[in-house]
Amino acid sequence: MFRFLENNNPVLYLFLLIFIVLLHIPVFHENYYGIDESLYVLCAQKIAQGEVMYLEVWDNKPPLIFGFYTLFVRLFGNYTFFALRTFSIFYYFICALIFNQLFYFYRFSKSFHIWPGILLALLSLNPWYANELNAEHLMLLPTLFMVLYASFYFIEGEKKWYYLYWIGILGAVCMGFKYQGLFNLIGLIFGVFLFYTLKPQELLTIFLGFMTVILMIFLSLYFTDSVNEFVDIGFLYNFDYMRVGKNLGEEVNWFTGLKEYLKNYGVLIVTGTLGILNYRARFYTMAIRQRKIETLLLSLSIFSLIAILLGGSRLYLHYFIQLLPFLLIHAVYFALSRRRWGRFMLFLNFIFPLFTLTIYYFVSTPERFRVIQPYIKPNGWVYSKFEELHYSKQEMLLLKDLQQNHPNLNQIFIVDFQPQLYLKLKKSCSLKYVNSSLTFYKMNWLSHHKGKLTLWSKPEQLSDLYKELYRKKPKYIIDNQRIFEEWKDKMPLFLSQYKKKTIGNYSVYYL
């Protein structure tokens, strides 16, 4: 195992660390809140206050990602985001270091290069407006360790049973962050199967490692009396989410998603595909251990692609991170084997990240934004990035109203899928319906659905809504989708105390 860390260059790795720090500069902006990251933090805040995930806090992701964020909220409180950003720097440095060593250890290039680590960090942490510790990012390190343990055991011949046990544990950890993480374990086992005859006891050891984590998760759910709610919210609803295909207030389609993928990862997709085809053409001229590791990586690439496709038309940028390391090895291998123009192919990966970082430079402060404002489209893409890092006119009006008319209010409820708005307004969510998109689809009786939405999970009935509103009646409700208005119509006596006012484009109901 120690041979894996030999023959590296500490100076280049110091450069890699500095590079990763520079890539993190945009996310240290005081008003940068990723949508998913905001949702996880809001859930973690409620869990840290003693509420139970899935029972009193709603989101459909598996439990481990909430455990991760809750740990940071408990440890760092108001400094949670700063701690998350700092953690991300060292997390990605370790990922890039291991990935770079893996590339060199299996001689995908004849001499030591820092390119694999640099590009893994660059493409994982850009564009900056999608840079958040999402499930796919958190799966990266466990997946790399799975590949290492599999290569030590099945390729290098180090027959240590705990390598297999750890493969099972890490596979379950990936699934605990996101269900599609299971495809990393399946892809790895399938890849091993193509060049190695797995013995029953070896499969059993992997299975025992996997079930160790599953048992721990089950016990945590059992002792918080949330097993049934987890099955409904945290498992079955995911099948509903796959069918409805989008979040509340969101528009998605294949064309837009593919365009974003090509814009951000187009060079990688082309060079990675060429690398796979080139390697396959020369497969039987390679050393046996190289053929084995490449087979493993190709299998992981295929199963990661399947995991991405399960998102349907939701081709979010962070989905691609699951495929990135396996495609990247083939891409760098292909580029470095082309002496004349190979380096140029690698440098092309910097074009779009440099463009987005230039945009960040101008939108990060109002003074610099005013320099480019005459040259950009009003309410266009660049303008939207400025509003992400600052307060829009609508958000300023809401903030002013809260400060002047409701100064002692710590909790509000937003009937829209805008978790980052809670954090911009410096409030927490008063109801269990933290994920408003999930809430919207679970209430399949709403007029928005017109009776056409059939759920696999249990619908949230009007009686369930009444119980939740009775348990914690919010004093301030922001309704941008006219959903609370319908709740009010269906429970007029119970909700008659709420008064309505219009603030900008928002309808606000308050007690």
Side-chain angles (χ1 to χ4, degrees):
M1 181 174 180
F2 291 105
R3 288 188 298 118
F4 177 77
L5 295 174
E6 292 176 353
N7 300 317
N8 55 47
N9 189 320
V11 175
L12 287 178
Y13 280 141
L14 178 61
F15 170 77
L16 176 62
L17 176 60
I18 295 169
F19 180 72
I20 291 172
V21 171
L22 293 175
L23 289 176
H24 275 81
I25 288 175
V27 295
F28 276 95
H29 192 284
E30 60 179 351
N31 290 325
Y32 174 76
Y33 300 109
I35 293 177
D36 287 342
E37 205 170 44
S38 300
L39 187 58
Y40 302 145
V41 168
L42 287 170
C43 290
Q45 287 173 346
K46 293 178 77 67
I47 296 168
Q49 292 165 3
E51 301 201 39
V52 179
M53 190 64 211
Y54 308 113
L55 182 64
E56 298 168 301
V57 186
W58 271 22
D59 191 52
N60 58 302
K61 297 295 191 304
L64 283 189
I65 195 160
F66 301 109
F68 172 83
Y69 273 89
T70 302
L71 177 65
F72 274 80
V73 169
R74 289 186 189 277
L75 290 176
F76 302 102
N78 294 332
Y79 300 98
T80 294
F81 279 98
F82 181 83
L84 286 168
R85 310 307 185 216
T86 305
F87 169 84
S88 180
I89 290 172
F90 292 103
Y91 179 84
Y92 262 97
F93 175 67
I94 294 170
C95 289
L97 188 150
I98 291 173
F99 184 72
N100 209 87
Q101 287 294 125
L102 180 69
F103 185 90
Y104 181 68
F105 186 67
Y106 282 101
R107 294 294 186 270
F108 284 97
S109 66
K110 293 180 181 179
S111 56
F112 182 84
H113 288 279
I114 199 68
W115 276 111
I118 287 286
L119 291 176
L120 181 72
L122 177 74
L123 297 173
S124 297
L125 299 172
N126 269 286
W128 60 265
Y129 48 83
N131 180 5
E132 48 185 324
L133 276 173
N134 225 310
E136 288 79 6
H137 297 79
L138 292 172
M139 287 192 296
L140 182 57
L141 188 59
T143 300
L144 289 174
F145 270 111
M146 271 201 298
V147 173
L148 286 187
Y149 289 136
S151 64
F152 294 151
Y153 189 95
F154 298 109
I155 300 175
E156 303 304 315
E158 297 182 23
K159 303 294 185 180
K160 298 178 180 178
W161 69 269
Y162 57 83
Y163 286 164
L164 301 177
Y165 189 72
W166 270 107
I167 288 171
I169 287 176
L170 294 167
V173 166
C174 288
M175 193 180 76
F177 286 130
K178 187 176 181 179
Y179 292 114
Q180 282 88 332
L182 180 62
F183 283 86
N184 290 358
L185 179 60
I186 296 172
L188 184 131
I189 293 173
F190 185 80
V192 168
F193 177 76
L194 294 174
F195 63 81
Y196 181 91
T197 304
L198 282 160
K199 300 179 181 64
Q201 59 267 34
E202 291 170 334
L203 280 172
L204 179 61
T205 305
I206 294 173
F207 178 75
L208 288 174
F210 183 85
M211 290 308 298
T212 299
V213 177
I214 300 302
L215 179 62
M216 291 174 65
I217 291 173
F218 173 78
L219 289 175
S220 69
L221 295 168
Y222 178 79
F223 286 114
T224 53
D225 295 321
S226 58
V227 174
N228 292 334
E229 287 74 16
F230 162 73
V231 171
D232 181 61
I233 303 291
F235 182 69
L236 288 177
Y237 175 76
N238 287 280
F239 295 99
D240 297 324
Y241 182 56
M242 287 169 63
R243 288 184 299 117
V244 297
K246 61 179 182 178
N247 286 312
L248 175 61
E250 182 182 47
E251 293 298 329
V252 294
N253 59 67
W254 273 97
F255 177 75
T256 302
L258 285 171
K259 186 172 72 172
E260 288 299 309
Y261 273 17
L262 291 173
K263 191 164 61 179
N264 286 276
Y265 310 114
V267 176
L268 172 67
I269 291 170
V270 172
T271 51
T273 303
L274 290 173
I276 291 172
L277 295 173
N278 181 267
Y279 207 102
R280 289 283 114 185
R282 302 170 56 193
F283 187 73
Y284 291 104
T285 66
M286 301 293 181
I288 292 175
R289 65 196 290 269
Q290 259 198 334
R291 300 208 301 258
K292 289 179 179 179
I293 190 66
E294 196 275 339
T295 299
L296 197 61
L297 294 171
L298 181 61
S299 177
L300 282 161
S301 300
I302 293 168
F303 280 89
S304 296
L305 182 60
I306 294 170
I308 292 172
L309 294 176
L310 285 176
S313 57
R314 297 187 309 273
L315 294 178
Y316 299 142
L317 289 175
H318 59 269
Y319 285 7
F320 196 84
I321 304 300
Q322 192 165 352
L323 172 63
L324 174 63
F326 318 121
L327 193 60
L328 184 57
I329 281 188
H330 287 96
V332 178
Y333 151 76
F334 180 73
L336 291 178
S337 65
R338 298 295 183 270
R339 292 183 180 178
R340 291 186 178 180
W341 48 280
R343 301 300 194 283
F344 175 72
M345 294 171 65
L346 295 176
F347 274 113
L348 286 176
N349 289 285
F350 285 79
I351 293 175
F352 192 73
L354 285 173
F355 168 73
T356 61
L357 289 171
T358 302
I359 295 299
Y360 169 77
Y361 173 79
F362 285 106
V363 301
S364 58
T365 68
E367 294 76 20
R368 287 198 288 264
F369 181 69
R370 281 194 286 270
V371 174
I372 64 168
Q373 195 168 7
Y375 309 103
I376 64 170
K377 185 188 297 184
N379 301 318
W381 178 77
V382 176
Y383 191 85
S384 71
K385 298 307 160 193
F386 173 75
E387 289 198 331
E388 284 181 24
L389 296 181
H390 305 277
Y391 287 87
S392 68
K393 293 177 182 178
Q394 308 297 326
E395 291 166 348
M396 285 298 295
L397 291 171
L398 285 173
L399 188 63
K400 184 178 178 181
D401 180 65
L402 282 164
Q403 290 173 342
Q404 291 182 349
N405 301 319
H406 310 272
N408 299 319
L409 202 59
N410 295 318
Q411 295 187 332
I412 62 174
F413 181 62
I414 302 172
V415 197
D416 197 357
F417 191 67
Q418 296 188 58
Q420 73 280 15
L421 185 55
Y422 283 102
L423 300 175
K424 275 195 166 185
L425 298 176
K426 296 178 172 47
K427 307 295 178 185
S428 57
C429 181
S430 58
L431 298 176
K432 69 179 180 180
Y433 306 126
V434 182
N435 186 330
S436 292
S437 180
L438 187 158
T439 305
F440 172 71
Y441 290 112
K442 290 277 279 182
M443 294 179 181
N444 63 348
W445 43 266
L446 288 169
S447 60
H448 295 68
H449 306 305
K450 299 179 182 178
K452 294 181 180 178
L453 184 58
T454 303
L455 299 175
W456 286 30
S457 60
K458 177 186 172 184
E460 182 76 349
Q461 303 290 356
L462 195 60
S463 58
D464 300 317
L465 172 62
Y466 175 84
K467 290 175 186 176
E468 178 62 13
L469 290 172
Y470 184 79
R471 183 178 73 94
K472 282 194 173 183
K473 206 167 187 178
K475 295 181 180 179
Y476 193 93
I477 297 172
I478 300 170
D479 182 16
N480 202 29
Q481 299 287 339
R482 302 186 69 180
I483 294 172
F484 181 76
E485 190 174 305
E486 188 169 346
W487 294 359
K488 201 167 181 290
D489 289 341
K490 291 185 181 295
M491 294 183 284
L493 293 177
F494 180 58
L495 300 178
S496 61
Q497 300 164 297
Y498 281 94
K499 296 179 181 179
K500 181 182 178 180
K501 57 184 172 182
T502 302
I503 301 176
N505 294 331
Y506 293 99
S507 295
V508 171
Y509 297 84
Y510 63 99
L511 290 175

